Amino acid sequence: MEKTIDESKQGEHLILEQKDGNTRKLFIESYGCAMNFSDSEIVASILSEQGFNTTQSLEDADLVLVNTCSIRDKAEQTVRKRLEKYNAVKRINPKMKVGVLGCMAERLKTKFLEEEKIVDLVVGPDAYKDLPNLLAEVDEGRDAINVILSKEETYGDIAPVRLNTNGVTAFVSITRGCDNMCTFCVVPFTRGRERSRDPQSIIEEVNDLWSKGYKEMTLLGQNVDSYLWYGGGLKKDFVKASDMQKATAVNFAQLLELCAKAQPKMRIRFSTSNPQDLTLDVIETMAKFDNICKHIHLPVQSGSNRILKEMNRLHTREEYFELIDNIRRILPNCAISQDLIAGFPTETEQDHQDTLSLMDYVKYNFGYMFTYSERPGTMAERKMEDDIPEETKKRRLAEIVQRQREHSEIRTKEYLNTVVEVLVERESKKSDQQWSGRTSQNIVAVFPKEHYNIGDLVKMQVTDCTSATLIGEAIAYSMEN
Ligand code: SAH
Ligand code: F3S
């Protein structure tokens, strides 16, 4: 069940509940990580107060916003191509305004206005509350930009408008930014310092989701396990917090427990875990609550100690194995997935073999695999030469993907002739007679529809599988329904 992310397949535009009295039309689309999709829901909420309803038709739009990703060069190229498309539409509809949001906005700043004549508005990930002011400037015919990063902004006080939703699963963002400074990664530069959101506002959002019929939510952060609330501000300032603030502080394991108890029937997922920050407390909390899904996305990036060090990943291969052993001991039915990078600078064949042997040890259920893409401004770009030839990177990636395919197949076969619990999310892409959902382990499962509906939690007998999908028949509603 390997997944190489194809950024060009993203960009689904979002549909917003139409608010009476709103006359302007917003076309908004998102690329990149789940956080961007979640941020677009915040942006849509802010703009719905400014007279905008969303439209699915680019040609009809008064305002086009694209929420962008900088993680790899390919992601940026995809957005550049979209801007060409907007340009063609603007020739027919010259009054249409175009804004760039997200990580590319933050990385390129005013360069965007210089390089892409079509762009009227550039807004970084921490500046969305300034959109009303920026739009007023655009309406008066001036270009507008705000790319100021914040130490506090978490948008905890904005109720996101759920967009393009199946009504069953939702994202809830809990931290923003990242302090880890992995040497290959642009995120700390585009999303700023790490900060956590008030747990009270998180629980309120969870309760609200449940009351609206949602059955599963994913707590989101670049590094969720470093969540720490002590009254606001940067995590590094926690040392200066008062004794009272420290006594009432909430860490990620505690937040998980609060969420699990607030809505005991709601499925809870979280993403992403950085190995150096995932604590035993979190694993034990997962074991304590049935409604916390048994899946950990645990990016490792490389299996070589030397490369891990060059990447500034603050753990060794051996420490990672220890963590895996602990997960297997405490959560024997937990799925584990990875992110891996092939061809980081100086990576030797031996380093690559170390990655393959690490994969053999873990036998991940699935993963997201990439070739190294040098990002401007990162430590790796400044200090190291991007010295692995493209064809070597591609060959190593193909070997990693092939190995993952073998492991995924072994893993899905383990479920044959067992009963799994599936939350129905949508019609199967392959057949309108089948439902598609996911198991607690985040494995896709399909079965004939019969009398079941979207949003049902169903017990399914697994009769067949591919490397990515469990195939079966529903037996009954789950008792947890
Ligand atoms: N903690 C984040 C990670 C963000 S980036 C999260 O919430 O998912 C997602 C993945 O992209 C990383 O784990 C890494 O495998 C990959 N990635 C990041 N920078 C990259 C680069 N410069 N080249 C190739 N892959 C990269
Ligand atoms: Fe990037 Fe490392 Fe943070 S991959 S998002 S700097 S944990």
Side-chain angles (χ1 to χ4, degrees):
M1 191 181 310
E2 79 290 347
K3 302 181 182 178
T4 39
I5 294 185
D6 179 356
E7 282 95 1
S8 64
K9 295 248 172 60
Q10 301 189 328
E12 248 173 304
H13 48 266
L14 306 166
I15 307 152
L16 162 66
E17 283 164 11
Q18 305 294 295
K19 189 169 161 185
D20 287 347
N22 278 356
T23 53
R24 295 201 279 178
K25 290 188 186 139
L26 164 69
F27 180 92
I28 180 165
E29 58 183 352
S30 312
Y31 293 85
C33 65
M35 185 71 86
N36 260 4
F37 284 76
S38 168
D39 281 359
S40 290
E41 300 188 327
I42 286 164
V43 169
S45 171
I46 292 168
L47 290 185
S48 105
E49 299 300 315
Q50 301 298 313
F52 284 95
N53 278 338
T54 51
T55 172
Q56 293 187 65
S57 156
L58 180 58
E59 285 74 15
D60 279 352
D62 300 302
L63 174 64
V64 174
L65 294 179
V66 56
N67 203 343
T68 61
C69 173
S70 284
I71 201 81
R72 285 167 290 277
D73 184 56
K74 193 170 158 228
E76 294 205 351
Q77 294 314 322
T78 306
V79 170
R80 299 271 187 184
K81 283 215 190 77
R82 276 311 274 166
L83 292 176
E84 282 171 26
K85 168 77 183 167
Y86 301 163
N87 222 343
V89 176
K90 196 165 177 168
R91 268 185 232 119
I92 303 160
N93 175 9
K95 278 197 276 181
M96 181 180 103
K97 303 290 180 196
V98 175
V100 181
L101 315 176
C103 288
M104 267 178 97
E106 194 61 51
R107 194 178 85 70
L108 293 162
K109 302 187 170 63
T110 51
K111 262 201 222 154
F112 239 126
L113 297 170
E114 291 151 22
E115 288 172 10
E116 303 278 357
K117 291 290 167 250
I118 186 170
V119 173
D120 306 291
L121 177 70
V122 175
V123 194
D126 286 346
Y128 298 144
K129 281 189 190 157
D130 197 26
L131 269 165
N133 301 324
L134 297 166
L135 278 173
E137 283 195 40
V138 170
D139 283 342
E140 284 169 20
R142 290 189 298 272
D143 286 345
I145 177 163
N146 186 344
V147 287
I148 296 171
L149 288 171
S150 158
K151 291 178 182 164
E152 271 106 35
E153 185 60 82
T154 61
Y155 299 111
D157 54 339
I158 299 211
V161 179
R162 303 294 164 185
L163 299 165
N164 217 23
T165 167
N166 54 13
V168 180
T169 60
F171 294 126
V172 175
S173 80
I174 63 160
T175 69
R176 297 184 73 83
C178 185
D179 284 351
N180 274 345
M181 297 305 265
C182 302
T183 57
F184 53 82
C185 185
V186 78
V187 169
F189 302 94
T190 59
R191 289 199 164 259
R193 300 299 304 270
E194 197 173 284
R195 63 223 103 109
S196 299
R197 176 177 163 193
D198 180 352
Q200 191 59 40
S201 79
I202 297 172
I203 299 299
E204 279 163 19
E205 190 171 334
V206 171
N207 289 338
D208 184 55
L209 283 170
W210 182 256
S211 74
K212 291 185 171 138
Y214 286 86
K215 298 289 165 60
E216 181 185 296
M217 53 141 180
T218 305
L219 302 175
L220 285 185
Q222 299 300 336
N223 183 13
V224 276
D225 299 86
S226 75
Y227 176 89
L228 181 68
W229 173 262
Y230 64 96
L234 299 182
K235 190 176 171 182
K236 79 166 180 43
D237 295 330
F238 182 58
V239 271
K240 291 185 235 147
S242 69
D243 289 347
M244 178 66 175
Q245 282 174 307
K246 283 184 184 165
T248 55
V250 176
N251 66 24
F252 183 59
Q254 290 160 328
L255 179 74
L256 259 185
E257 175 150 359
L258 286 173
C259 292
K261 282 184 175 158
Q263 289 304 337
K265 291 191 168 186
M266 182 120 166
R267 269 187 175 189
I268 300 170
R269 300 186 184 280
F270 56 89
S271 189
T272 297
S273 293
N274 191 302
Q276 75 211 38
D277 295 306
L278 177 63
T279 61
L280 279 182
D281 277 356
V282 168
I283 306 170
E284 277 156 7
T285 306
M286 288 176 76
K288 241 168 64 188
F289 295 94
D290 281 346
N291 60 328
I292 304 180
C293 289
K294 304 300 181 271
H295 167 225
I296 303 180
H297 185 54
L298 201 58
V300 67
Q301 318 299 359
S302 169
S304 150
N305 274 335
R306 192 182 64 81
I307 295 292
L308 285 170
K309 198 151 185 232
E310 293 287 3
M311 289 176 160
N312 194 32
R313 304 285 291 184
L314 300 181
H315 63 82
T316 61
R317 171 187 172 93
E318 291 73 24
E319 283 161 344
Y320 189 81
F321 286 157
E322 206 180 308
L323 186 56
I324 297 289
D325 293 347
N326 279 327
I327 297 170
R328 300 262 185 250
R329 177 173 53 80
I330 301 168
L331 296 169
N333 60 351
C334 187
I336 302 175
S337 55
Q338 44 85 352
D339 288 348
L340 278 167
I341 297 177
F344 185 79
T346 74
E347 186 185 74
T348 62
E349 280 309 316
Q350 184 53 49
D351 294 323
H352 171 59
Q353 288 305 322
D354 288 351
T355 295
L356 293 173
S357 74
L358 176 138
M359 292 176 78
D360 287 340
Y361 185 88
V362 184
K363 293 199 177 58
Y364 294 99
N365 295 74
F366 59 94
Y368 301 92
M369 295 148 281
F370 316 95
T371 52
Y372 173 68
S373 168
E374 187 177 74
R375 306 314 291 135
T378 57
M379 201 53 104
E381 185 258 346
R382 284 188 282 154
K383 296 273 156 71
M384 302 179 91
E385 196 191 330
D386 184 6
D387 60 351
I388 308 299
E390 208 48 42
E391 64 269 28
T392 308
K393 286 183 188 172
K394 285 204 174 119
R395 194 250 311 147
R396 289 181 187 165
L397 178 67
E399 287 172 17
I400 289 171
V401 167
Q402 176 54 29
R403 192 65 58 97
Q404 184 53 55
R405 189 168 295 151
E406 289 159 23
H407 292 158
S408 294
E409 205 167 312
I410 295 171
R411 289 297 180 198
T412 47
K413 277 192 177 142
E414 286 174 353
Y415 294 104
L416 277 178
N417 305 316
T418 67
V419 174
V420 293
E421 215 167 56
V422 182
L423 177 63
V424 181
E425 287 175 43
R426 58 179 62 87
E427 201 166 78
S428 156
K429 282 190 196 116
K430 295 212 175 111
S431 157
D432 63 3
Q433 303 300 308
Q434 305 249 332
W435 287 133
S436 168
R438 280 173 299 149
T439 67
S440 169
Q441 288 75 14
N442 212 9
I443 311 297
V444 173
V446 295
F447 63 87
K449 284 182 176 174
E450 297 179 58
H451 56 283
Y452 298 98
N453 284 309
I454 290 176
D456 286 344
L457 197 58
V458 175
K459 284 195 183 301
M460 183 189 100
Q461 172 81 34
V462 183
T463 53
D464 199 0
C465 66
T466 67
S467 68
T469 308
L470 304 177
I471 301 161
E473 275 160 31
I475 309 173
Y477 290 107
S478 161
M479 295 298 280
E480 299 299 319
N481 254 313

